[in-house]
Amino acid sequence: MSIKCFLKVAIFAFTFQLQSVSAGERLNYTLTISTQQDKAVQVEIILSFSGEKDGQTVINLPNSWGGEEHLWTGISDLSITGNGVRVELSEDPFQRVVRHQSGARLTLSYRVIQDWPGVPMATGRNSYRPVIQPEYVHLIGDTIFAIPENFNESTVSIKIKTPETWVFASDLEAEGLNVDALRSSVMVAGDFRIESRPVDNAVLRVALRGDWDFTDAHFADMVQRVVQANHTYWGDPGEDFLVTVLPLEADPGSQSMGGTSRTDAFAFFATANLDENTAIQILTHEHAHTWNPRRLGGGYDEDEEAAGYWFSEGFTDFLTQRIGVSAGLWTATDSLSRWNEVLSEYALSPENTASNSKIRDGFWDNRDLNRLPYIRGMLFAAHAEYRIRSGSEGRINLNDVMKAMRRNNNEIDAAPGSFVDQTLATTGIDLKTDYEQFILKGEVLRLAETAFGPCGSVITSDQPVFDYGMTGHRNKEGKFVVDTVDMNSPAAPAGFKPGMVILERLEGAVGDATVDSVLRVEFEDTVKDLRYLPTNGDMVTMQQIVLSENITNDACNKFLSGRSASNGED
Ligand SMILES: [Zn+2]
């Protein structure tokens, strides 16, 4: 048996080890946030529990999570006391071996420190590590709690103390905590503001700090619609949910957002200028992780986790589009343009034929391998949807498989490995060969022309590869400044030169090399318009959905929502 907690870019999975400790054992934590006279903020954690009967208890400090390593460097002043306690270092720097009298009461105390400089920035992944600032803290359970080995079945109690004037919010305020909930928790405290919204019979809380381009109420309303949409899709009753929002500092003109999904919370990070449409799609994706993979059999464990991202991330992206259109969070046309972006990204990915084991091994170190399971999995879901619909004359679709996996959550193995069997059992459609071909081997997946039913046709064509033909950077106003021009690119004869500032685009689109781009540029106090075909001359085979003329009709909406047969009728 295993438990899983999920985050945007990684699954942390932990295998239960039922050894000498009974499930009735209890871990008692006290977490105290205090402000010191020099205004420094101190976070102290005390853990008390009964050590193992054999007189040896191993303590695991936070180590590796979400792409962050050496998390134990955020633990300081660790002390362990109790009857006959002798502490030994282990080979692993995140472990302590404690020898003590049989079953002795042990007390651990330590401080959590921010082990990186500055404030949370849009660049880098530091906001996953403890954030401890003079005005606030942002703490993720996986990165701050020491947990004794073999105590994963224990119940957990936690007392939290904060400075009187500080606002506090955490999913640790829930009842009946266990070790999994402790790890996959988030807490914020300080100058946060809290908005509450009802979702069915439960409460959604949104905790924000800092200044945003929108009001707190507007953002909370948006999150409420997302949470409601997911609950409606899965048919599950409402449950308490917390969204924490941490502002990121960034260079002007750049925008960034991301986050990590907790069991009953989502920690969101973004620059203040976040684009609302992108934000709502990310939030829908993240909240969908409450189900995928956790409630669909879970993800793969530890070293294998990235091998399951085609399902846990890619299918989540598919469901995000489905649920978004279904709940009216965005339109069918918006969704189809998102699908076209993904089809284009797939065609242009230099790794689009990587095997699944290459993704598993290179996920954290290679940007293209990092993106691939999202794209490939999303397209494989559309392919599976097509196979199921066409094989059943439109009577059933992928929703039936997802709902079956939801129902069978406790009986099935990890979701990525169960999907093919669950599809066969639920629909009679055998995707084994497709799975081996497109997921495991990484052969190029081409969608059927009718894979998007009444919405439009999937057209396959050879396209010129989009290439700016120049490099550059953003200036303080957020404008693109040309640094170098490729002399073999059409950009050179068109007149682009280093030092030019691009003021605006008049024609063409980013990513489209089939039509001219016309850019208005400023150089040495002169403004002029330059026209060129932004391509490097290479061709690539790409699929795009060409929208039907009657795209606004009900049929496409219903199709994308998964509510209708492939002929567009209920
Ligand atoms: Zn995700």
Side-chain angles (χ1 to χ4, degrees), residues 6-9 261 285-286 289 312-313 316-317 374:
F6 205 86
L7 57 151
K8 178 168 188 284
V9 283
S261 172
H285 171 109
E286 295 302 336
H289 277 316
S312 57
E313 296 301 344
T316 295
D317 270 348
Y374 289 77

Side-chain angles (χ1 to χ4, degrees), residues 491-549:
F496 288 95
K497 289 186 174 62
M500 277 184 172
V501 180
I502 295 174
L503 301 175
E504 61 178 318
R505 173 180 287 279
L506 303 173
E507 286 179 39
V510 177
D512 187 352
T514 62
V515 294
D516 280 352
S517 279
V518 179
L519 303 176
R520 179 158 290 168
V521 298
E522 186 178 2
F523 188 58
E524 293 171 349
D525 295 332
T526 312
V527 173
K528 52 186 168 184
D529 301 338
L530 301 182
R531 172 183 294 274
Y532 78 123
L533 194 63
T535 179
N536 57 14
D538 291 344
M539 299 294 280
V540 66
T541 304
M542 186 181 292
Q543 291 196 304
Q544 290 284 283
I545 306 160
V546 178
L547 275 53
S548 302
E549 280 174 15

Side-chain angles (χ1 to χ4, degrees), residues 46 55 91 108 177 183 205 224 344 392 394 426 430 464 478 488 518:
I46 298 173
E91 281 172 20
L108 253 83
L177 294 176
R183 288 182 200 278
R205 287 180 302 160
Q224 183 187 23
S344 154
S392 69
T426 312
D430 190 352
N488 298 316
V518 179

